[in-house]
Amino acid sequence: MSRIGKKPVVLQSGVTINVTPANELVVKGPKGELRQLIDRDIKVKVEDGNIVVERPTDQIRHRALHGLYRSLVANMVTGVTTGFKRELELVGVGYRAAVTGQTIDLALGFSHNIIFELPKEIKASATAEKGQNPRIILESNDKQLLGQVAAKLRSLRKPEPYKGKGVRYSDEVVRRKAGKSAGK
């Protein structure tokens, strides 16, 4: 039995769950609504205020999907109740970010600014305090989408190992390398 798959997901107050006949899970809560298609072999049930994910057999495919869908359901419940947040830090001289509506204007040391269009499910804000690196704060109820957008922003200028310049997650540790002169 999957260790993750057999753990029930606690259904918090204000959250409603519905499984459509097309095997689509719909989770509604105070922060919005999320939808996820579920494999036809996996069953999702609500028992005693908990969500239980069950699999029909011990085939490798079913065991893999069991833990996957349990994690997806747990992330959906957390997303519609508390939401998710991701912070990015811009390290480098002259690196700036400005948020207007659903667009982020990034100055990352290129000859031009990068205009990044955000999906409507994500809220963004940018802060630039004196003496600290500029930060971009992304918030959403969809963990998958939030991670994908944060990774795309990071890929615009990945942190390089010699000076540490680039876009990085606020909790990321960049391993620094010694330069040419240290090799002698």
Side-chain angles (χ1 to χ4, degrees):
M1 197 80 179
S2 168
R3 287 185 185 178
I4 293 173
K6 67 181 175 184
K7 287 170 110 178
V9 179
V10 178
L11 190 59
Q12 297 170 356
S13 63
V15 177
T16 59
I17 297 219
N18 186 19
V19 180
T20 64
N23 239 16
E24 184 178 35
L25 182 70
V26 181
V27 180
K28 292 181 186 176
K31 290 212 174 222
E33 174 183 312
L34 292 173
R35 297 174 172 271
Q36 176 68 48
L37 283 172
I38 304 286
D39 189 86
R40 63 183 179 340
D41 294 337
I42 303 297
K43 302 292 179 235
V44 178
K45 298 178 184 173
V46 178
E47 298 174 353
D48 303 329
N50 291 330
I51 306 164
V52 180
V53 180
E54 295 176 348
R55 66 175 188 238
T57 66
D58 273 345
Q59 291 179 6
I60 293 174
R61 180 178 169 277
H62 290 155
R63 288 195 319 232
L65 293 176
H66 190 207
L68 168 75
Y69 284 117
R70 190 266 176 206
S71 294
L72 291 176
V73 169
N75 287 339
M76 290 169 73
V77 170
T78 305
V80 297
T81 53
T82 58
F84 295 101
K85 183 177 174 182
R86 196 73 189 190
E87 281 189 37
L88 295 163
E89 192 174 347
L90 284 69
V91 180
V93 176
Y95 286 15
R96 292 183 314 277
V99 177
T100 50
Q102 289 299 103
T103 59
I104 300 177
D105 186 6
L106 297 162
L108 298 176
F110 297 116
S111 62
H112 59 283
N113 285 1
I114 298 170
I115 309 293
F116 188 86
E117 192 72 32
L118 290 171
K120 65 181 187 315
E121 295 90 359
I122 292 185
K123 295 180 190 81
S125 63
T127 60
E129 298 171 13
K130 189 168 182 165
Q132 290 188 343
N133 294 321
R135 290 178 176 267
I136 301 171
I137 299 159
L138 303 172
E139 294 182 47
S140 178
N141 60 0
D142 191 348
K143 189 174 185 178
Q144 292 177 3
L145 182 65
L146 183 70
Q148 187 175 1
V149 169
K152 180 66 178 168
L153 282 170
R154 183 182 179 273
S155 73
L156 296 174
R157 179 73 96 169
K158 288 185 181 170
E160 55 96 22
Y162 295 102
K163 291 183 182 177
K165 293 168 56 172
V167 179
R168 64 172 82 160
Y169 301 119
S170 62
D171 56 351
E172 182 179 4
V173 176
V174 177
R175 288 185 56 193
R176 302 285 296 272
K177 289 183 177 179
K180 277 181 167 181
S181 61
K184 291 182 179 178

